[in-house]
C-alpha cells in the first residue's frame, strides 16, 4: 500500500505491505478502569514488538467517566508514547484516537511532532471528534461544533507542520507569521487517520485523511465500506479496531463481545484471513485476557503467523 510520498516510518510499517498488518491497542495489561503499572506496560510493549506486532496504539481519554467504564489506560497520550518510543525500536506508535475538539492545535502539532522526532518517525495519528458527552462542557466546547472543530484543527496542524512561520487563524487563535512551532516532524506532515465518521463526509475523509480508521464492523458492512473507500481512493489504507478474547477451546465458535468476539484460535485464524481477503490493511486488536502476555503469544503464534 503506497501513500502520497511523505508518510513516515510508522505509516510505512503499517501499510507498505501487500496484506493485513496487525497492531495492539493499549493498555496491554488490560487495566481499563484505573492506572496500569507502567513497568508492566513497557515490558509487554517490548514483548509485542518482539512477537511481530506492527503497531502499538494509545488512547486519548482526558477524563475518567465511570459510566463509560473505560479510562483508556489513564496515562496522557504524548508522554506515554514518548516513553514507549524510548523502549522500542521499530514498531509503529499510533493514537486511537486524539479528540481534536478538546485540544488546541498548536499544542497538538508540537506534541505530535515531538513524539515523531523522539521515535524516529514512527508516529501515526488517529484523530476523532470524541464520544464522551461530559467532556465537552469540561473543556467549554460546544458539542454541536465538533465537526467544524475537527476540520479547523486538521487544517491548522497541517499548516504548522508544513511551513515555517505560518499565517493561519481560527476559533482557537491566530498565528500571524511572527511565530513558528518547533519541532517539525520527520516528514512533510504527519499521517492522519480520521476515526469513524468524525462528523465529516466520506469525501472529506478521503481528501484530507491519509487513511480511514474505523470501529469494529460486521463483515458485510465492512465489505461495503471497503468497496466505497476503494472507489474514492485506491492508495489510502483502511483500518479497524476489534476486541479479541481467546477461548480455551481452539475450535470454539464466536460469541459476540462489544466491538469484537470471544472465540478459539481456529476461528480467529479464519476471521482475520477473511479480513485480509476483503482488502483490510490494518487491524488494531484489543486483547481481553487474564494473562495478557500469554494471550499475545498465543495470538502471535496461532493467528499472526498467518500474515
Amino acid at each position: 500500500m503506497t501513500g502520497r510520498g511523505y508518510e513516515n516510518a510508522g505509516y510505512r510499517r503499517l501499510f507498505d505491505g501487500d496484506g493485513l498488518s496487525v497492531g495492539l491497542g493499549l493498555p496491554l495489561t488490560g487495566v481499563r478502569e484505573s492506572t496500569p503499572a507502567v513497568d508492566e506496560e513497557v515490558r509487554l510493549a517490548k514483548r509485542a514488538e518482539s512477537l511481530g506486532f506492527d503497531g502499538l496504539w494509545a488512547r486519548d481519554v482526558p477524563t475518567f467517566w465511570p459510566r463509560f467504564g473505560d479510562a483508556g489506560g489513564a496515562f496522557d497520550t504524548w508522554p506515554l508514547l514518548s516513553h514507549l518510543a524510548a523502549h522500542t525500536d521499530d514498531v509503529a506508535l499510533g493514537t486511537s484516537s486524539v479528540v481534536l475538539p478538546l485540544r488546541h492545535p498548536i499544542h497538538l502539532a508540537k506534541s505530535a511532532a515531538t513524539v515523531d522526532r523522539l521515535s524516529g518517525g514512527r508516529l501515526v495519528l488517529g484523530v476523532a471528534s470524541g464520544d464522551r458527552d461530559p467532556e465537552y462542557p469540561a473543556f467549554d466546547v460546544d458539542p454541536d461544533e465538533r465537526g467544524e472543530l475537527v476540520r479547523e484543527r486538521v487544517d491548522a496542524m497541517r499548516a504548522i507542520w508544513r511551513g515555517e512561520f505560518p499565517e493561519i487563524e481560527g476559533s482557537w487563535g491566530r498565528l500571524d507569521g511572527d511565530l513558528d512551532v518547533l519541532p517539525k516532524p520527520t516528514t512533510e506532515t504527519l499521517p492522519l487517520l480520521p476515526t469513524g465518521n468524525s462528523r465529516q463526509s466520506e469525501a472529506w475523509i478521503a481528501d484530507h485523511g491519509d487513511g480511514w480508521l474505523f470501529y469494529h464492523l460486521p463483515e458485510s458492512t465492512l465489505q461495503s465500506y471497503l468497496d466505497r473507500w476503494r472507489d474514492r481512493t485506491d492508495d489510502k489504507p483502511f483500518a479497524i479496531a476489534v476486541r479479541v478474547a481467546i477461548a480455551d477451546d481452539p475450535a470454539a465458535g464466536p460469541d459476540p463481545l462489544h466491538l469484537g468476539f470471544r472465540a478459539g484460535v481456529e476461528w480467529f485464524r479464519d476471521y482475520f484471513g477473511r479480513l485480509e481477503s476483503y482488502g483490510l490493511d490494518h487491524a488494531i486488536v484489543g486483547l481481553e485476557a487474564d494473562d495478557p502476555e500469554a494471550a499475545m503469544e498465543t495470538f502471535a503464534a496461532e493467528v499472526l503467523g498467518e500474515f
Side-chain angles (χ1 to χ4, degrees):
M1 175 63 65
T2 58
R4 293 184 288 181
Y6 54 71
E7 288 84 357
N8 63 8
Y11 189 94
R12 295 195 306 270
R13 172 68 184 262
L14 296 177
F15 302 124
D16 263 4
D18 292 332
L20 177 68
S21 65
V22 179
L24 290 177
L26 303 175
L28 299 174
T29 56
V31 176
R32 286 176 167 77
E33 295 189 26
S34 60
T35 303
V38 67
D39 289 348
E40 184 66 0
E41 286 290 311
V42 170
R43 189 185 72 81
L44 290 172
K46 293 167 69 173
R47 183 65 177 134
E49 182 175 46
S50 72
L51 289 169
F53 289 95
D54 294 294
L56 296 171
W57 295 83
R59 307 280 297 284
D60 178 35
V61 182
T63 62
F64 177 40
W65 184 24
R67 281 180 56 190
F68 204 92
D70 187 349
F75 296 111
D76 183 76
T77 306
W78 307 117
L80 173 60
L81 290 178
S82 295
H83 194 59
L84 292 178
H87 289 86
T88 56
D89 297 314
D90 303 306
V91 68
L93 302 173
T95 61
S96 60
S97 292
V98 175
V99 185
L100 295 183
L102 305 183
R103 307 297 194 186
H104 195 286
I106 294 177
H107 288 151
L108 279 171
K110 188 177 186 74
S111 296
T114 297
V115 172
D116 185 62
R117 284 280 179 180
L118 294 176
S119 68
R122 290 188 276 149
L123 183 66
V124 176
L125 285 169
V127 296
S129 59
D131 58 5
R132 303 190 184 213
D133 294 340
E135 288 189 333
Y136 300 101
F139 285 85
D140 194 26
V141 170
D142 183 347
D144 292 334
E145 297 179 358
R146 279 177 283 178
E148 179 182 352
L149 293 174
V150 166
R151 296 189 296 274
E152 187 179 66
R153 277 146 176 75
V154 166
D155 289 343
M157 289 189 299
R158 295 284 202 202
I160 289 168
W161 290 328
R162 283 177 167 147
E164 297 180 355
F165 300 94
E167 296 185 26
I168 49 174
E169 64 179 306
S171 63
W172 51 270
R174 181 177 69 254
L175 287 171
D176 57 11
D178 293 327
L179 299 172
D180 201 2
V181 180
L182 300 176
K184 302 299 182 184
T186 58
T187 47
E188 177 189 347
T189 182
L190 287 173
L192 298 178
L193 277 62
T195 303
N197 289 310
S198 295
R199 298 189 170 249
Q200 311 302 321
S201 68
E202 289 187 17
W204 185 93
I205 292 170
D207 287 343
H208 292 81
D210 300 298
W212 198 358
L213 173 57
F214 225 93
Y215 316 104
H216 174 256
L217 294 167
E219 290 184 55
S220 60
T221 306
L222 174 61
Q223 286 181 285
S224 68
Y225 270 76
L226 284 166
D227 289 343
R228 293 206 309 272
W229 184 243
R230 299 304 176 213
D231 286 341
R232 290 190 179 277
T233 173
D234 61 3
D235 68 344
K236 295 182 184 181
F238 195 101
I240 64 167
V242 56
R243 287 177 65 196
V244 168
I246 299 174
D248 292 336
D249 179 1
D255 288 326
L257 299 174
H258 178 60
L259 300 179
F261 304 98
R262 179 183 303 278
V265 291
E266 294 175 7
W267 186 85
F268 277 122
R269 192 179 303 127
D270 291 340
Y271 172 70
F272 281 93
R274 292 195 300 275
L275 297 185
E276 184 177 50
S277 72
Y278 302 150
L280 185 70
D281 298 291
H282 184 69
I284 303 172
V285 171
L287 280 175
E288 305 281 333
D290 293 332
D291 186 340
E293 185 171 12
M296 287 165 46
E297 292 171 346
T298 298
F299 189 92
E302 301 293 339
V303 181
L304 189 63
E306 296 294 310
F307 307 101

